[in-house]
Protein backbone atom coordinates (compact mmCIF):
# COMPACT_ATOMS: atom_id res chain seq x y z
CA UNK A 1 0.00 0.00 0.00
CA UNK A 2 1.25 3.51 -0.82
CA UNK A 3 1.06 6.56 1.36
CA UNK A 4 2.20 10.11 1.90
CA UNK A 5 2.50 12.11 5.11
CA UNK A 6 3.75 15.63 5.80
CA UNK A 7 3.80 17.36 9.15
CA UNK A 8 5.63 20.12 10.92
CA UNK A 9 7.22 19.63 14.32
CA UNK A 10 8.56 22.30 16.62
CA UNK A 11 12.15 22.08 17.82
CA UNK A 12 11.12 20.48 21.12
CA UNK A 13 11.28 16.91 22.33
CA UNK A 14 7.53 16.93 23.06
CA UNK A 15 6.80 17.86 19.46
CA UNK A 16 9.28 15.22 18.24
CA UNK A 17 7.42 12.62 20.33
CA UNK A 18 4.11 13.66 18.77
CA UNK A 19 5.74 13.22 15.37
CA UNK A 20 6.77 9.68 16.35
CA UNK A 21 3.11 8.88 17.03
CA UNK A 22 2.19 10.19 13.56
CA UNK A 23 4.87 7.99 12.00
CA UNK A 24 3.55 4.96 13.88
CA UNK A 25 0.06 5.61 12.50
CA UNK A 26 1.49 6.14 8.99
CA UNK A 27 3.34 2.81 9.21
CA UNK A 28 0.14 1.03 10.25
CA UNK A 29 -2.01 2.78 7.61
CA UNK A 30 0.50 1.87 4.87
CA UNK A 31 0.87 -1.69 6.17
CA UNK A 32 4.63 -1.30 6.35
CA UNK A 33 6.37 -4.57 7.18
CA UNK A 34 7.46 -4.64 10.84
CA UNK A 35 11.16 -4.43 9.94
CA UNK A 36 10.66 -1.33 7.77
CA UNK A 37 8.44 0.29 10.42
CA UNK A 38 11.16 -0.33 13.03
CA UNK A 39 13.84 1.12 10.75
CA UNK A 40 11.70 4.20 10.09
CA UNK A 41 11.13 4.70 13.82
CA UNK A 42 14.83 4.38 14.68
CA UNK A 43 15.93 6.70 11.86
CA UNK A 44 13.28 9.30 12.73
CA UNK A 45 14.19 9.23 16.43
CA UNK A 46 17.90 9.57 15.68
CA UNK A 47 17.60 12.38 13.15
CA UNK A 48 14.89 14.41 14.90
CA UNK A 49 16.71 14.13 18.25
CA UNK A 50 19.93 15.39 16.67
CA UNK A 51 18.12 18.29 14.97
CA UNK A 52 16.31 19.33 18.16
CA UNK A 53 19.36 18.88 20.40
CA UNK A 54 22.16 20.28 18.24
CA UNK A 55 20.86 22.35 15.31
CA UNK A 56 19.74 25.51 17.07
CA UNK A 57 21.91 27.99 18.93
CA UNK A 58 18.99 30.14 20.10
CA UNK A 59 15.91 29.49 22.21
CA UNK A 60 13.43 30.64 19.55
CA UNK A 61 10.75 28.36 18.19
CA UNK A 62 11.67 26.74 14.88
CA UNK A 63 9.69 24.52 12.53
CA UNK A 64 10.99 21.17 11.31
CA UNK A 65 9.25 19.74 8.26
CA UNK A 66 8.92 15.96 8.00
CA UNK A 67 7.90 14.28 4.74
CA UNK A 68 7.26 10.56 4.18
CA UNK A 69 6.46 8.99 0.85
CA UNK A 70 5.89 5.25 0.46
CA UNK A 71 5.68 4.18 -3.18
CA UNK A 72 6.31 0.76 -4.71
CA UNK A 73 7.91 -0.57 -1.50
CA UNK A 74 10.36 2.37 -1.40
CA UNK A 75 10.01 4.61 1.64
CA UNK A 76 11.53 8.09 1.31
CA UNK A 77 11.90 10.05 4.54
CA UNK A 78 12.94 13.72 4.54
CA UNK A 79 13.57 16.24 7.31
CA UNK A 80 13.93 19.93 6.44
CA UNK A 81 15.08 22.45 9.06
CA UNK A 82 16.59 25.91 9.33
CA UNK A 83 19.17 25.00 11.96
CA UNK A 84 22.91 24.85 11.57
CA UNK A 85 24.54 23.39 8.47
CA UNK A 86 25.53 19.88 9.55
CA UNK A 87 25.72 16.78 7.38
CA UNK A 88 25.14 13.73 9.62
CA UNK A 89 26.26 11.37 6.86
CA UNK A 90 29.82 12.77 6.90
CA UNK A 91 30.35 11.56 10.47
CA UNK A 92 32.63 8.58 10.87
CA UNK A 93 31.18 5.43 12.39
CA UNK A 94 32.24 4.89 16.00
CA UNK A 95 34.97 2.34 16.61
CA UNK A 96 33.05 -0.46 18.31
CA UNK A 97 36.30 -2.27 19.10
CA UNK A 98 37.27 0.41 21.63
CA UNK A 99 36.14 -0.49 25.17
CA UNK A 100 32.85 1.21 26.06
CA UNK A 101 34.36 3.29 28.87
CA UNK A 102 36.96 4.68 26.43
CA UNK A 103 34.60 5.29 23.51
CA UNK A 104 33.41 8.77 22.58
CA UNK A 105 29.70 9.35 23.09
CA UNK A 106 27.45 9.34 20.04
CA UNK A 107 27.51 8.08 16.50
CA UNK A 108 25.83 4.69 16.89
CA UNK A 109 22.37 5.94 15.88
CA UNK A 110 23.65 7.59 12.71
CA UNK A 111 25.67 4.45 11.94
CA UNK A 112 22.53 2.29 12.26
CA UNK A 113 20.49 4.73 10.17
CA UNK A 114 23.10 4.56 7.43
CA UNK A 115 23.14 0.73 7.57
CA UNK A 116 19.33 0.47 7.41
CA UNK A 117 19.06 2.84 4.45
CA UNK A 118 19.25 2.07 0.76
CA UNK A 119 20.60 5.60 0.33
CA UNK A 120 21.15 8.78 2.33
CA UNK A 121 21.53 12.38 1.18
CA UNK A 122 22.17 15.81 2.66
CA UNK A 123 22.08 19.20 1.04
CA UNK A 124 21.88 22.79 2.18
CA UNK A 125 19.62 25.08 0.13
CA UNK A 126 18.43 28.61 0.87
CA UNK A 127 19.40 28.39 4.53
CA UNK A 128 17.74 25.02 5.07
CA UNK A 129 19.22 21.59 5.70
CA UNK A 130 17.51 18.78 3.81
CA UNK A 131 18.22 15.28 5.10
CA UNK A 132 16.82 12.41 3.04
CA UNK A 133 16.84 8.70 3.74
CA UNK A 134 15.51 5.99 1.42
CA UNK A 135 14.58 2.79 3.22
Amino acid sequence: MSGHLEFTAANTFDSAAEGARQLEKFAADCSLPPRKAYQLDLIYEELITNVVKYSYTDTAAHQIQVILDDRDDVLTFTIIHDGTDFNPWEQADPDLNVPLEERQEGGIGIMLARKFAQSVDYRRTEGKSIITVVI
Side-chain angles (χ1 to χ4, degrees):
M1 179 184 246
S2 299
H4 183 83
L5 173 68
E6 291 189 36
F7 64 90
T8 302
N11 58 319
T12 67
F13 290 114
D14 286 344
S15 186
E18 174 55 36
R21 287 187 284 281
Q22 290 187 54
L23 262 66
E24 186 177 309
K25 183 178 180 328
F26 173 83
D29 291 348
C30 291
S31 301
L32 291 182
R35 179 180 173 89
K36 191 173 272 193
Y38 170 76
Q39 291 169 335
L40 172 63
D41 181 58
L42 184 139
I43 292 168
Y44 170 80
E45 291 290 338
E46 180 62 26
L47 293 177
I48 199 78
T49 297
N50 284 343
V51 169
V52 169
K53 196 171 182 180
Y54 302 116
S55 290
Y56 299 102
T57 57
D58 61 22
T59 57
H62 293 269
Q63 300 300 304
I64 303 164
Q65 185 178 8
V66 178
I67 304 167
L68 288 142
D69 193 45
D70 182 42
R71 302 268 179 252
D72 301 322
D73 291 326
V74 175
L75 179 62
T76 304
F77 168 61
T78 304
I79 290 181
I80 303 170
H81 67 86
D82 65 349
T84 57
D85 183 2
F86 175 76
N87 183 346
W89 312 124
E90 289 181 344
Q91 304 311 301
D93 287 347
D95 184 352
L96 301 179
N97 294 317
V98 173
L100 187 59
E101 58 276 358
E102 295 174 22
R103 201 177 305 157
Q104 273 192 306
E105 182 180 332
I108 292 176
I110 292 294
M111 178 188 75
L112 289 173
R114 203 176 1 244
K115 289 190 183 309
F116 287 159
Q118 291 178 26
S119 67
V120 295
D121 184 57
Y122 173 86
R123 67 185 189 281
R124 183 81 175 177
T125 305
E126 298 176 7
K128 302 218 177 199
S129 292
I130 303 167
I131 304 166
T132 303
V133 181
V134 176
I135 305 170

